[in-house]
Amino acid sequence: MIEATEPFAMFAEAILPSDLPDALYMHLGAIAEQCELAAHEVQTHSGDAEKLIFIAQGSAKLVAKGAGEREQIIGFHFAGDFLRLPCPCEHSYTLVALEDAQLLVFSASQFVELARGEPGILQHLLDQSATMLDRSREKSIVLGRKNACERMASFLLSMARRIGEEQADTIRLTLPMSRREIGESLGLTIETVSRQLTLLRDAQIIETHGRNQVILRHPEELQKRSGWLTRAN
Amino acid sequence: MIEATEPFAMFAEAILPSDLPDALYMHLGAIAEQCELAAHEVQTHSGDAEKLIFIAQGSAKLVAKGAGEREQIIGFHFAGDFLRLPCPCEHSYTLVALEDAQLLVFSASQFVELARGEPGILQHLLDQSATMLDRSREKSIVLGRKNACERMASFLLSMARRIGEEQADTIRLTLPMSRREIGESLGLTIETVSRQLTLLRDAQIIETHGRNQVILRHPEELQKRSGWLTRAN
DNA sequence: CGCCCATTTGAGCGGAATCAAGATCAGTGG
DNA sequence: CCACTGATCTTGATTCCGCTCAAATGGGCG
């Protein structure tokens, strides 16, 4: 019934303890809502409750919409991420696919209800929360105190950690987001993002190929330019 | 009258389920480390592990220290808050008292170990995490997309929600933080903070008395000026 | 009362936003 | 395979908001 490539199997592999009772496994499978998104498609939440979303394939952005055209991208998410989407009644956040994606959507309350008896799951959820919180705090530093150059360097390093492919002493990135989306994430305009990339390219620190291939030639130099000493995954 | 209840009792009252087994209660009490901080004193973590900190009394700021003099305040915390302090080996965050404060410090791993059998505690912890994450995301919006005026308005409203005393249709704030600290939280300089407060005072939207009393005369007007439609708790 | 330091106010500057063209890339259809 | 097309991205010129530097004011405490 369940193939290896199916979203729920990937979820179980990534998130659930291996010794989980079959009954609970089935229950979780029963409340999981599969959801396929085409690139740029918005995840539409059925109901108004808080959701837990596992990204089985593809990538997505969590967006806060403001008055007028203003949007702030709260974060990017990639395959394997397990994130909480606050209930839309309180915050106008939406999850939008960057490329074709497969999601698994849970009602947070249902999920926690089922997980109650399994401390392992709750603890994993707690760990995920901690990771998200750390990323968000890191973002506060970027947005609060860094200049354009430092933001760009921080962004590239962060992407390198999450989706970079190491090759010799360089790192190859295939960015699923546009310049505009990078800007909306970093609190910069598209023009500034473009200019900073040009500066880094001129300084031989990065190479760009096409619109979304970037090769980090000197990650350690990016590190220097990213400002601040604090650094971790 | 005994003026101050004991920190652990306050913690139990605020965080622990009322039907908690006595044994577990005692165990938690045993691993809790009491900690009194004078104003501006830094919380010094014994050991390098992740900590969970309950603020029994007073208030504190969570600070990220950067190269040189740069500091970003990640968040303010008040009595009743239960927060996670990442292990100092990975991020250089410190908790600093804004005024005299009483804390309860747990090793996160020990705490979770004990709480494993009590889903109620883990769930509460999870809820706290969710609140912290929401606040942090809200901060990303403020820092990423708002101008000085909107940041100031957002800050005042946020403080009103957390430590404001409602009086008729106005709200009284007693701010435990300095202008500099407000600036470091909002990604602004002390001068800009001061100027924005002056503008709001001139517009009759707020009154200030002394250095840290603020009265919000027209919260709804602040709301308008805070930008963005998203608003909650 | 008088000192010290936080805050306020003022003047000028600078970095990123905005406005405005061009250049380049990815499809599309001939 | 290549020309056409529209969107995305890059580059340039100018503007403006918030930072920096500097000075004045005022609150709080001895």
Side-chain angles (χ1 to χ4, degrees):
Chain A
M1 207 56 126
I2 294 177
E3 324 159 11
T5 56
E6 195 179 343
F8 189 75
M10 301 178 67
F11 170 73
E13 172 75 23
I15 305 290
L16 299 179
S18 51
D19 60 348
L20 197 71
D22 282 354
L24 185 45
Y25 185 92
M26 299 304 271
H27 273 121
L28 285 172
I31 65 166
E33 213 178 297
Q34 284 196 33
C35 174
E36 303 210 4
L37 295 183
H40 311 119
E41 194 180 345
V42 178
Q43 199 276 325
T44 52
H45 15 265
S46 54
D48 257 6
E50 203 174 302
K51 301 285 183 188
L52 295 176
I53 299 182
F54 176 75
I55 302 193
Q57 258 183 49
S59 52
K61 57 177 175 178
L62 181 58
V63 184
K65 294 199 177 303
E69 293 299 290
R70 285 201 291 184
E71 292 192 0
Q72 173 67 34
I73 292 181
I74 300 299
F76 293 115
H77 293 285
F78 303 98
D81 284 359
F82 191 35
L83 64 115
R84 194 181 62 91
L85 190 63
C87 100
C89 47
E90 293 190 351
H91 303 263
S92 51
Y93 293 145
T94 54
L95 191 71
V96 183
L98 293 173
E99 55 193 328
D100 295 356
Q102 287 206 336
L103 311 181
L104 219 52
V105 181
F106 298 91
S107 146
S109 56
Q110 278 184 11
F111 187 93
V112 172
E113 184 59 34
L114 283 179
R116 269 187 147 265
E118 281 290 324
I121 300 182
L122 283 184
Q123 193 174 340
H124 197 120
L125 207 49
L126 216 46
D127 290 346
Q128 285 284 337
S129 289
T131 302
M132 293 298 156
L133 188 52
D134 283 347
R135 286 211 192 109
S136 186
R137 285 171 170 172
E138 200 71 30
K139 200 172 188 60
S140 291
I141 297 176
V142 170
L143 296 175
R145 283 278 169 268
K146 293 189 183 182
N147 63 24
C149 170
E150 294 168 331
R151 290 182 198 202
M152 201 62 227
S154 302
F155 171 77
L156 290 173
L157 287 172
S158 164
M159 286 303 114
R161 269 177 260 126
R162 297 179 67 185
I163 54 170
E165 306 158 40
E166 301 205 22
Q167 306 180 319
D169 54 345
T170 70
I171 302 173
R172 170 186 296 272
L173 286 179
T174 304
L175 298 176
M177 71 290 284
S178 68
R179 300 285 187 269
R180 168 168 302 282
E181 287 164 326
I182 295 173
E184 284 173 350
S185 160
L186 295 179
L188 299 173
T189 60
I190 181 176
E191 293 96 327
T192 300
V193 168
S194 182
R195 276 185 252 270
Q196 292 303 325
L197 283 175
T198 300
L199 288 176
L200 289 174
R201 188 168 350 96
D202 290 350
Q204 315 272 326
I205 298 169
I206 64 172
E207 278 172 32
T208 59
H209 295 108
R211 270 169 183 169
N212 45 25
Q213 291 282 330
V214 181
I215 294 175
L216 311 189
R217 292 227 142 274
H218 297 290
E220 72 290 351
E221 184 61 27
L222 281 177
Q223 191 68 55
K224 275 189 219 159
R225 302 197 179 206
S226 73
W228 293 58
L229 19 94
T230 134
R231 176 100 286 114
N233 75 323
Chain B
M1 268 304 215
I2 296 171
E3 53 116 340
T5 317
E6 194 180 337
F8 189 74
M10 300 179 67
F11 170 72
E13 172 75 21
I15 305 291
L16 299 179
S18 51
D19 61 346
L20 198 71
D22 281 356
L24 185 45
Y25 184 93
M26 300 300 272
H27 274 120
L28 285 172
I31 63 167
E33 212 178 299
Q34 284 196 33
C35 174
E36 302 210 5
L37 294 183
H40 310 119
E41 194 181 345
V42 179
Q43 198 277 325
T44 51
H45 15 265
S46 54
D48 256 7
E50 202 174 303
K51 301 285 184 189
L52 295 176
I53 299 183
F54 175 74
I55 302 195
Q57 258 182 50
S59 52
K61 58 177 175 179
L62 182 58
V63 184
K65 295 200 178 301
E69 293 300 288
R70 287 201 290 185
E71 292 192 359
Q72 173 68 34
I73 292 180
I74 300 300
F76 293 117
H77 293 286
F78 304 98
D81 284 359
F82 192 35
L83 63 113
R84 194 181 62 89
L85 190 64
C87 98
C89 46
E90 293 191 351
H91 303 263
S92 51
Y93 293 145
T94 54
L95 191 70
V96 182
L98 293 174
E99 55 192 328
D100 294 356
Q102 287 206 335
L103 311 181
L104 219 53
V105 182
F106 298 91
S107 145
S109 56
Q110 279 184 10
F111 187 94
V112 172
E113 183 59 35
L114 283 179
R116 269 188 148 265
E118 281 291 323
I121 300 183
L122 283 183
Q123 193 173 340
H124 202 290
L125 204 50
L126 215 47
D127 290 347
Q128 285 283 339
S129 288
T131 302
M132 294 297 157
L133 187 54
D134 282 347
R135 287 214 192 105
S136 185
R137 284 170 171 173
E138 201 72 28
K139 199 172 191 60
S140 291
I141 297 176
V142 170
L143 296 175
R145 281 279 169 271
K146 292 188 181 182
N147 62 24
C149 171
E150 294 169 331
R151 290 181 198 203
M152 201 63 227
S154 301
F155 170 77
L156 291 172
L157 287 171
S158 164
M159 286 302 114
R161 267 178 262 126
R162 297 179 68 186
I163 53 169
E165 306 158 39
E166 302 205 20
Q167 305 180 318
D169 54 344
T170 69
I171 302 172
R172 170 186 296 272
L173 287 179
T174 304
L175 299 176
M177 70 290 284
S178 68
R179 299 287 187 269
R180 170 169 300 282
E181 287 165 326
I182 295 174
E184 284 173 350
S185 159
L186 296 178
L188 299 173
T189 60
I190 181 175
E191 294 96 328
T192 300
V193 169
S194 181
R195 276 184 250 270
Q196 292 304 325
L197 283 174
T198 300
L199 289 175
L200 289 173
R201 187 167 351 96
D202 290 350
Q204 316 271 325
I205 298 170
I206 65 172
E207 279 172 32
T208 59
H209 296 108
R211 274 173 177 160
N212 46 25
Q213 290 283 329
V214 181
I215 294 175
L216 312 188
R217 291 227 141 273
H218 297 291
E220 73 289 351
E221 184 60 27
L222 280 177
Q223 191 67 57
K224 273 188 221 159
R225 300 196 181 208
S226 73
W228 292 58
L229 18 95
T230 135
R231 173 100 290 107
N233 81 328

